[in-house]
C-alpha cells in the first residue's frame, strides 16, 4: 500500500482504533533508539569536555534514556562511574539491566522503573548513596520526555527540576526535545510527496482534532495547503511515520515552546547560565529534503523547520 492509500485509510478510519503498540518491528525501534541515543550521549560528553569537567566527579542522571542505550555509551566511552537511569517501562529496565550487567566495567549503576517526576525522594536517596564529596557534579540528561508531559504537569516539572538544581551546588542540565518550530512564520504552505491537497487537508484536520490544535487549513492548489506552523510540523512528522500513525498520534511533538522552556529554567534557578539552540535530527532533515516542500506564503521562499531544541544549563561549573 502506498502513502496516498495509507493516508486515505487513516482519514476514513479516523484513527479510532489507536493503541499503545508500535507497529514498527521491535528490532527497527531498537536500532533507531541505539543510533539516536549514541548521538545524544556523544553530545553530552562533548559538553563535559567543553566545560572542562572532571568526569570522575560526575553523578549521571539519565531521564528518558531510550532503553538505557545512552547510559551504555557513556559507560563504555567515559570515565564517569556513577549512574542513575529512569525509564517509564519496567520491561525496558529489565532488558537494559540484563544487557548492561554482562558488558560494562565495574561501575555504580542504578536503573529505576517509573516516572522520574514522582520519584524525586528515591532519586535523592541514590544521589546521597553515590555522593563522594561536595565537589560532585550532578549531570541531568533529559531526552524526548518533556514534550510528553509538559502540557499536563508544568507544576510538577518545575518542582522536579527545582529539587535537583537548587539542592546541589554543581549542576549541568542537558535537555534535547522536539519543539514548536519557532523559526517559521505563523502560517506556511505545505506540499508532501505525491499527496493531494485533499489528502493533506483530511489528515491535518484529523491531527488537529486529536491533538487539540488550531485547525486553520485551507487548500491553495491541487497539491498544497496553508496552515499554522504547529499543525504543519505535526503533519510532516506523522507522515514520516505513517506506518505507526496510531501510536504517533498520541504525541504532540510541538508541545514545547523553546523560549518558554528557557524562561521556566531561569525562574526555577536564576543562577543558571543557559545556552540554547534550535536544530534538527539527521533523520528528520534527510526525510524532509526527500519528501517535503514547505514555503513562505508571503514570498514563496523555501523553509526548513527547526524542530528540536537543545538546552544546556549550568550552575557552579
Amino acid at each position: 500500500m502506498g502513502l496516498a492509500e495509507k493516508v486515505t485509510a487513516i482519514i476514513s478510519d479516523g484513527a479510532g482504533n489507536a493503541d499503545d503498540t508500535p507497529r514498527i518491528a521491535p528490532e527497527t525501534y531498537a536500532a533507531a533508539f541505539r543510533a539516536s541515543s549514541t548521538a545524544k550521549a556523544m553530545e553530552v560528553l562533548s559538553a563535559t569536555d567543553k566545560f572542562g569537567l572532571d568526569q570522575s566527579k560526575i553523578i549521571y542522571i539519565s531521564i528518558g534514556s531510550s532503553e538505557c542505550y545512552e547510559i551504555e555509551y557513556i559507560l563504555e566511552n567515559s570515565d564517569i562511574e556513577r549512574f542513575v537511569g529512569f525509564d517509564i517501562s519496567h520491561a525496558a529496565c529489565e532488558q537494559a539491566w540484563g544487557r548492561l550487567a554482562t558488558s560494562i566495567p565495574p561501575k555504580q549503576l542504578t536503573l529505576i522503573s517509573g516516572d522520574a517526576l514522582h520519584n524525586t525522594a528515591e532519586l535523592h536517596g541514590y544521589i546521597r548513596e553515590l555522593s563522594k564529596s561536595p565537589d560532585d557534579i550532578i549531570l541531568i540528561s533529559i531526552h524526548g520526555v518533556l514534550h510528553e508531559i509538559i502540557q499536563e504537569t508544568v507544576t510538577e516539572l518545575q518542582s522536579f527540576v527545582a529539587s535537583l538544581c537548587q539542592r546541589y551546588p554543581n549542576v549541568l542540565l542537558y535537555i534535547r526535545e522536539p519543539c514548536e518550530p519557532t523559526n517559521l512564520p505563523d502560517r506556511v504552505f505545505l506540499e508532501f510527496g505525491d499527496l493531494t491537497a485533499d489528502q493533506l487537508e483530511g489528515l491535518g484536520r484529523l491531527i488537529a482534532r486529536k491533538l487539540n490544535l488550531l485547525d486553520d487549513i485551507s487548500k491553495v492548489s491541487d497539491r498544497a495547503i496553508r496552515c499554522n506552523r504547529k499543525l504543519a510540523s505535526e503533519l510532516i512528522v506523522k507522515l514520516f511515520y505513517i506506518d505507526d500513525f496510531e501510536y504517533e498520534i498520541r504525541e504532540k511533538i510541538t508541545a514545547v515552546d523553546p523560549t518558554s522552556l528557557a524562561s521556566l529554567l531561569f525562574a526555577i534557578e536564576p543562577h543558571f547560565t543557559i545556552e540554547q539552540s534550535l536544530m534538527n535530527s539527521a533523520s528528520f532533515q534527510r526525510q524532509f529534503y526527500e519528501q517535503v516542500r514547505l514555503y513562505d506564503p508571503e514570498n514563496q521562499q523555501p523553509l526548513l523547520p527547526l524542530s528540536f531544541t537543545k538546552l544546556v544549563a549550568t550552575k557552579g561549573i
Side-chain angles (χ1 to χ4, degrees):
M1 185 184 295
L3 177 60
E5 289 78 12
K6 292 174 183 178
V7 169
T8 299
I10 289 170
I11 295 170
S12 177
D13 177 66
N17 298 320
D19 57 43
D20 289 322
T21 305
R23 291 185 176 181
I24 297 176
E27 60 271 18
T28 304
Y29 263 117
F33 277 143
R34 178 178 288 276
S36 63
S37 297
T38 296
K40 295 166 188 172
M42 292 173 68
E43 289 183 9
V44 176
L45 286 183
S46 177
T48 68
D49 291 339
K50 174 183 176 180
F51 292 107
L53 303 184
D54 181 347
Q55 293 183 345
S56 68
K57 294 182 178 180
I58 291 174
I59 300 176
Y60 197 106
I61 314 298
S62 175
I63 300 169
S65 55
S66 299
E67 298 183 0
C68 298
Y69 287 122
E70 174 195 351
I71 287 180
E72 182 174 2
Y73 183 89
I74 301 289
L75 281 165
E76 295 175 348
N77 294 275
S78 78
D79 293 326
I80 300 173
E81 297 183 343
R82 294 169 288 169
F83 297 85
V84 180
F86 276 93
D87 198 298
I88 198 68
S89 167
H90 179 71
C93 281
E94 287 190 334
Q95 183 181 20
W97 184 253
R99 188 179 72 246
L100 295 175
T102 58
S103 63
I104 62 174
K107 297 185 178 182
Q108 295 172 285
L109 171 64
T110 298
L111 301 181
I112 302 173
S113 170
D115 179 356
L117 268 65
H118 298 105
N119 286 275
T120 52
E122 185 177 9
L123 175 57
H124 289 309
Y126 283 117
I127 292 175
R128 283 194 299 271
E129 290 179 12
L130 293 171
S131 182
K132 295 178 180 178
S133 79
D135 293 333
D136 281 338
I137 300 164
I138 308 301
L139 191 160
I140 309 153
S141 172
I142 303 176
H143 294 292
V145 174
L146 301 185
H147 74 283
E148 297 182 359
I149 62 174
I150 200 166
Q151 293 294 101
E152 294 83 14
T153 57
V154 172
T155 301
E156 290 178 330
L157 175 62
Q158 288 176 312
S159 176
F160 172 76
V161 175
S163 73
L164 288 169
C165 298
Q166 294 176 354
R167 182 178 298 222
Y168 304 105
N170 308 311
V171 176
L172 190 155
L173 176 62
Y174 186 101
I175 296 175
R176 190 174 185 270
E177 289 286 328
C179 67
E180 178 182 353
T182 53
N183 68 304
L184 298 182
D186 290 339
R187 301 289 184 272
V188 296
F189 284 172
L190 171 64
E191 299 178 27
F192 194 103
D194 293 329
L195 295 181
T196 66
D198 286 334
Q199 290 165 331
L200 288 172
E201 179 185 29
L203 188 63
R205 293 196 188 284
L206 173 61
I207 291 169
R209 185 171 72 251
K210 292 284 185 178
L211 298 181
N212 195 29
L213 293 169
L214 173 65
D215 180 351
D216 60 352
I217 299 175
S218 61
K219 291 182 287 186
V220 295
S221 73
D222 290 342
R223 295 285 181 184
I225 61 169
R226 175 177 172 167
C227 65
N228 65 82
R229 67 190 182 198
K230 276 192 174 184
L231 185 51
S233 185
E234 295 284 355
L235 187 51
I236 290 167
V237 172
K238 271 50 172 179
L239 284 167
F240 285 165
Y241 300 103
I242 197 67
D243 289 336
D244 206 31
F245 182 84
E246 292 171 345
Y247 179 76
E248 293 293 330
I249 192 60
R250 295 178 178 273
E251 290 198 8
K252 184 186 288 188
I253 53 97
T254 57
V256 172
D257 178 337
T259 303
S260 296
L261 180 59
S263 299
L264 173 67
L265 293 178
F266 269 127
I268 293 169
E269 177 48 82
H271 296 104
F272 265 146
T273 298
I274 295 179
E275 299 177 6
Q276 186 175 26
S277 59
L278 295 174
M279 58 184 294
N280 281 323
S281 67
S283 61
F284 177 93
Q285 196 143 315
R286 173 182 54 79
Q287 292 183 85
F288 183 89
Y289 284 127
E290 289 175 354
Q291 302 180 77
V292 182
R293 186 178 178 221
L294 192 72
Y295 49 104
D296 191 324
E298 298 297 325
N299 55 27
Q300 309 300 304
Q301 290 298 307
L303 301 169
L304 173 66
L306 298 177
S307 299
F308 289 84
T309 184
K310 180 175 72 173
L311 188 149
V312 181
T314 58
K315 184 185 77 167
I317 293 173

